[in-house]
Amino acid sequence: MKEVIAIIRPNKINATKEALAVLGFPGLNACKVVGRGKQKGITGEVTFAVSPELEKQEGGMKYVPKRMISLVVDDRDVPLVVAAIIKVNRTGRIGDGRIFVCPVEEVVRVRTGEKGPAAI
């Protein structure tokens, strides 16, 4: 099993969620995050008002608002999930995001005690 973690643009979260659901991956976790990549928070990355702690600084923004999604999938499903996330989120511009694939040693469903792939 693998955990796929993607940092994406806020305006792409719904399309990403829908694309994954269509492929049979409706379960995921999502949260608002802020950060910056190599571009160091390029000004103009976002088209909406930002809170004071994200205010512009010399050469860019302190942090850029993003969305982080996380889902655990079978090893064989990783290429499909990664490809779907890329297809929805690639604009060709700086700030499209990152995808991380991490090993998962064990999964346990709290309600039933199921383990492994059955618990996903």
Side-chain angles (χ1 to χ4, degrees):
M1 292 172 288
K2 301 281 193 243
E3 180 180 21
V4 178
I5 302 167
I7 310 294
I8 60 175
R9 297 176 190 274
N11 64 341
K12 297 288 189 172
I13 187 71
N14 287 334
T16 302
K17 199 168 53 171
E18 290 170 13
L20 291 170
V22 165
L23 293 174
F25 304 98
L28 57 82
N29 295 302
C31 61
K32 295 178 180 181
V33 295
V34 294
R36 67 182 205 179
K38 291 179 183 178
Q39 83 280 6
K40 298 181 182 174
I42 285 180
T43 304
E45 165 67 14
V46 295
T47 57
F48 50 85
V50 295
S51 58
E53 67 267 12
L54 304 179
E55 283 293 319
K56 294 177 185 176
Q57 62 181 21
E58 190 176 319
M61 295 175 63
K62 191 172 181 181
Y63 299 107
V64 178
K66 297 285 186 176
R67 296 297 179 268
M68 181 171 70
I69 61 169
S70 168
L71 62 157
V72 176
V73 299
D74 282 331
D75 290 357
R76 70 178 185 273
D77 294 325
V78 170
L80 178 64
V81 169
V82 169
I85 294 169
I86 290 171
K87 184 175 181 178
V88 172
N89 290 277
R90 179 178 282 164
T91 68
R93 296 178 300 157
I94 291 173
D96 280 349
R98 295 280 191 280
I99 300 171
F100 306 94
V101 179
C102 308
V104 173
E105 292 186 26
E106 183 67 271
V107 176
V108 179
R109 187 184 312 253
V110 174
R111 179 177 53 87
T112 64
E114 294 170 288
K115 294 184 177 183
I120 296 179

